[in-house]
Amino acid sequence: MPQQQLLPIVAQHQVAPEIYEMILTAPDLVQTAQPGQFIDVLVPDHPEHFLRRPFAIATCDAKQGQISFTYRVKGPGTEAMVACQVGTSLDVLGPLGHGFPIADVTPGTPVLLVGGGTGIPPLLGLAQRLQQQGAQVTTVLGYRSQAESFYQDRFAKTGEVCIASDDGTLGFHGHVGLLMAAQLTERHFERAFACGPKGLLMAVKNRYQAQMPTYLSLESRMACGIGACYACVTPTTDHELKKICSDGPVFPAQEVVL
Amino acid sequence: MPDVTVHLPGLDLKNPIMPASGCFGFGQEYSQFYDLNQLGALITKATTLKPRQGNPTPRVAETESGMLNAIGLQNPGVDHVLAKELPWLAEHYPELPIIVNVAGTHVDDYAAVCAALKAAPNVKAIELNISCPNVAHGGMEFGTDPDSAAQLTQACSAVTDLPIYVKLSPNVTDIRPIAEAVSRAGAAGLSLINTLVGERFDLMTRQPILANVTGGLSGPAVKPVALRLIQQVRSVTDLPIIGMGGVSTADDALEMLVAGADAIAVGSANFREPLACPNIIADLPKRMTHFHFENLTKEIHWEGTK
Ligand SMILES: Cc1cc2nc3c(=O)[nH]c(=O)nc-3n(C[C@H](O)[C@H](O)[C@H](O)COP(=O)(O)OP(=O)(O)OC[C@H]3O[C@@H](n4cnc5c(N)ncnc54)[C@H](O)[C@@H]3O)c2cc1C
Ligand SMILES: Cc1cc2nc3c(=O)[nH]c(=O)nc-3n(C[C@H](O)[C@H](O)[C@H](O)COP(=O)(O)O)c2cc1C
Ligand code: FES
């Protein structure tokens, strides 16, 4: 059940150029939020930024009662969020949507996570949760360059990490689709999860959906964030439309047309 | 305590506040946030004879203090609405008056939806959408021509006993002849404004943000335009008006009532603030006392329009 809450900002710091991590006190959210769910955030002090902004929940710290999300400065709304001060609060709706299905992942199961750009943060919480469940986690991360990379060290604590960068300054030279083709064809996984730009989702869908349960987290421009306005739909393989905000954002790869 | 009740054809409302069409689905989503019994009434998403898929995405774009939408009337069709959505509302909110927003492409399919709605006892009125700017044949050609608007109103009134509130388009040179034409054709009331046509471009791609290129502008940015059109329509008709366009606070609602509206629909504000309607309802008596309103009858309309 989503709630509207004012969540105090505990910390905000830059993790890469133009990329910031925000930590919020959210004792209720940490109880219920699942990896892959998102929050819809009102830009404080700027009523002209009329709509809320959707951001994936990155990590949940049950002990501290804190959640984090990590965002790229794209337009005026996220630009204004950089100025948010510790001690003030964010007006947040959440948890929204359906996250990655992992309840039935058993200990020892080899799972593959593939993320690129701002699709990377929600995979961190997913990797941490899968590790707690005893899964064998392999993560493929795609960045533009070494300078713009973040969170590799935190993923390294959850399992194996393969890194690609568009300009070759870090890890494999090329996008994650090429990395998967070059390094992972012989590897056995039983479930795949992906979040990132369309090309990345296509690559994961095409490579894995016929072999194993494969789940993709989609994005769309949203208005309500809860399924009431039909702004955010995606076509499905059976010629229907699903709402990314409330039916997703995570979908079985075989169900959606990208 | 000031009296916030409002009495309109088919609608005895405990307060004048209702969510606007398309901004509240069929109620279920927002019922996660509050008890919908607080609402005066509820206006549903546009309902057409057959299910409609709507426009390609992106369907929404933000604007300064507002937004553009080009949903394109996606809805599950009247059969599904009668089988699932309206019974859900009747089961959970038996006392809540429902207004179904009806859309179509020809007189026949509009009339067929109006006739079909007889089957749902909780539907107390129809809002006839002759003003959707986002589809090629979504009614706006009815909404921009007085004769077609009148013909459609007449055809729909003929097949139902429910009061028909005709939802007018602001995208016209003069809204008054259309208001007068549908009034003569048997409309029980009017509803305005629908959205204003606009566009936005992405500077990085130099392309329109909306896949449909154009979309309908709503939100606080349109409020002065809505007030002006409501006041103008009030000057030519005594029909009740459900006013909407940029209302997010009790003061916005009162301003619209002064301009000539009799009840208020709240649209885009729900997206920003899911509790927009209950907040307005809670604030209304206090703000009425503050501004010395005793009730919300016609007496509060600006006398310049009387
Ligand atoms: C389910 C979901 C999860 C997301 N998670 C993250 C995340 O974890 N980190 C991150 O950096 N970004 C994420 N995004 C994208 C993020 O929502 C946009 O980058 C952000 O809204 C841009 O806001 P702005 O004020 O900077 O841009 P502006 O251009 O000012 O935004 C104007 C409007 O367009 C919307 N908008 C613009 N670009 C996008 C976009 N790419 N996707 C959706 N809406 C957009 C905004 O929400 C706002 O309503 C997510 C999007 C979705 C749908
Ligand atoms: C996302 C969205 C969907 C809408 N869908 C409909 C619709 O299906 N039928 C209709 O008559 N009006 C529709 N409208 C128009 C609203 O009902 C209302 O007339 C308009 O948005 C102005 O009010 P507001 O500024 O409070 O949003 C829609 C508006 C929005 C923002
Ligand atoms: S954003 Fe409104 S239905 Fe998804």
Side-chain angles (χ1 to χ4, degrees):
Chain A
M1 203 77 148
Q3 288 181 34
Q4 179 182 23
Q5 291 177 296
L6 277 178
L7 302 181
I9 301 172
V10 191
Q12 155 144 271
H13 39 252
Q14 200 165 7
V15 296
E18 304 296 296
I19 298 187
Y20 291 80
E21 175 181 272
M22 184 97 89
I23 301 175
L24 307 173
T25 302
D28 299 338
L29 273 180
V30 289
Q31 301 297 327
T32 55
Q34 298 299 314
Q37 286 189 299
F38 69 98
I39 53 177
D40 219 357
V41 176
L42 205 62
V43 180
D45 307 323
H46 286 272
E48 76 279 15
H49 300 323
F50 182 67
L51 295 173
R52 290 171 181 270
R53 270 70 176 155
F55 299 102
I57 297 170
T59 60
C60 273
D61 182 337
K63 260 198 249 118
Q64 305 277 340
Q66 294 172 347
I67 63 161
S68 72
F69 68 98
T70 304
Y71 65 95
R72 182 186 293 279
V73 175
K74 284 200 59 177
T78 43
E79 211 167 284
M81 282 167 55
V82 175
C84 288
Q85 297 295 316
V86 170
T88 62
S89 294
L90 283 186
D91 182 334
V92 168
L93 299 187
L96 301 178
H98 292 90
F100 294 103
I102 54 168
D104 59 337
V105 174
T106 49
T109 309
V111 297
L112 177 67
L113 279 53
V114 185
T118 48
I120 289 173
L123 295 187
L124 180 59
L126 176 65
Q128 291 171 344
R129 190 70 79 83
L130 285 166
Q131 185 196 27
Q132 281 166 19
Q133 284 180 222
Q136 234 180 338
V137 182
T138 299
T139 306
V140 176
L141 300 174
Y143 300 101
R144 289 184 194 159
S145 65
Q146 170 160 37
E148 297 191 33
S149 67
F150 58 99
Y151 287 171
Q152 306 97 293
D153 49 334
R154 296 177 70 180
F155 276 99
K157 293 186 189 138
T158 67
E160 179 192 12
V161 185
C162 311
I163 294 179
S165 60
D166 295 340
D167 66 356
T169 49
L170 185 68
F172 180 87
H173 187 173
H175 59 75
V176 292
L178 296 172
L179 183 151
M180 290 188 297
Q183 300 181 1
L184 297 179
T185 44
E186 303 297 306
R187 294 284 302 276
H188 170 74
F189 300 105
E190 289 177 19
R191 200 170 287 205
F193 304 97
C195 187
K198 201 169 187 168
L200 178 148
L201 298 179
M202 290 287 270
V204 172
K205 180 176 161 76
N206 293 339
R207 181 168 290 277
Y208 294 111
Q209 67 175 2
Q211 296 169 35
M212 66 188 82
T214 301
Y215 297 93
L216 310 176
S217 182
L218 307 191
E219 281 191 10
S220 169
R221 284 183 186 251
M222 295 183 172
C224 71
I226 60 171
C229 75
Y230 299 97
C232 64
V233 297
T234 178
T236 63
T237 28
D238 50 7
H239 309 290
E240 296 207 343
L241 292 172
K242 292 231 162 159
K243 297 167 189 166
I244 291 179
C245 68
S246 55
D247 298 322
V250 176
F251 293 94
Q254 282 177 316
E255 197 175 303
V256 287
V257 180
L258 296 177
Chain B
M1 274 289 268
D3 180 4
V4 296
T5 61
V6 168
H7 305 279
L8 310 179
L11 301 167
D12 278 321
L13 307 179
K14 57 180 175 290
N15 66 65
I17 305 301
M18 54 188 93
S21 178
C23 302
F24 211 74
F26 294 84
Q28 292 199 30
E29 292 79 14
Y30 285 94
S31 75
Q32 301 174 95
F33 291 93
Y34 63 93
D35 178 357
L36 304 188
N37 276 321
Q38 294 178 64
L39 299 169
L42 182 158
I43 311 181
T44 70
K45 175 65 190 167
T47 299
T48 52
L49 188 56
K50 295 273 174 290
R52 278 190 67 117
Q53 297 247 339
N55 288 326
T57 57
R59 292 178 170 182
V60 290
E62 191 178 63
T63 64
E64 278 83 354
S65 299
M67 61 176 287
L68 294 173
N69 90 81
I71 308 295
L73 298 181
Q74 181 181 346
N75 79 93
V78 71
D79 290 345
H80 176 95
V81 170
L82 282 168
K84 290 277 184 317
E85 309 293 349
L86 293 169
W88 185 89
L89 283 162
E91 186 191 337
H92 292 87
Y93 303 101
E95 304 299 319
L96 178 64
I98 307 299
I99 304 170
V100 175
N101 183 273
V102 171
T105 47
H106 303 99
V107 173
D108 293 351
D109 59 327
Y110 270 102
V113 178
C114 291
L117 289 171
K118 274 184 240 172
N122 55 338
V123 176
K124 303 298 181 208
I126 286 170
E127 183 178 55
L128 204 61
N129 180 0
I130 59 165
S131 42
C132 179
N134 297 324
V135 295
H137 303 282
M140 204 161 89
E141 54 271 55
F142 291 108
T144 50
D145 173 49
D147 292 338
S148 333
Q151 269 168 27
L152 181 70
T153 306
Q154 205 158 26
C156 291
S157 314
V159 299
T160 179
D161 294 331
L162 291 170
I164 293 183
Y165 291 75
V166 180
K167 186 159 178 181
L168 302 181
S169 172
N171 301 301
V172 290
T173 322
D174 189 349
I175 198 168
R176 289 167 294 190
I178 299 163
E180 291 173 307
V182 301
S183 156
R184 282 194 299 270
L190 303 170
S191 165
L192 64 153
I193 58 174
N194 210 320
T195 52
L196 291 148
V197 182
E199 292 182 10
R200 285 215 54 200
F201 292 85
D202 181 325
L203 287 179
M204 201 59 91
T205 61
R206 305 187 198 178
Q207 297 294 314
I209 293 179
L210 296 174
N212 189 54
V213 184
T214 64
L217 181 66
S218 62
V222 309
K223 194 182 77 172
V225 179
L227 290 169
R228 189 262 178 164
L229 290 172
I230 289 164
Q231 181 268 318
Q232 237 190 345
V233 169
R234 175 50 71 222
S235 71
V236 296
T237 173
D238 288 329
L239 283 185
I241 295 176
I242 303 174
M244 66 196 79
V247 173
S248 3
T249 65
D251 287 11
D252 294 339
L254 285 171
E255 191 176 357
M256 204 161 265
L257 293 164
V258 167
D262 301 282
I264 299 296
V266 178
S268 319
N270 293 290
F271 305 151
R272 182 175 169 82
E273 172 52 75
L275 298 180
C277 289
N279 287 349
I280 294 172
I281 292 164
D283 288 345
L284 199 58
K286 292 178 246 173
R287 300 308 289 167
M288 285 172 70
T289 303
H290 177 81
F291 293 112
H292 313 294
F293 291 79
E294 281 164 17
N295 56 48
L296 301 175
T297 60
K298 277 190 188 40
E299 302 309 307
I300 70 170
H301 294 157
W302 176 51
E303 66 250 344
T305 36
K306 279 177 194 155

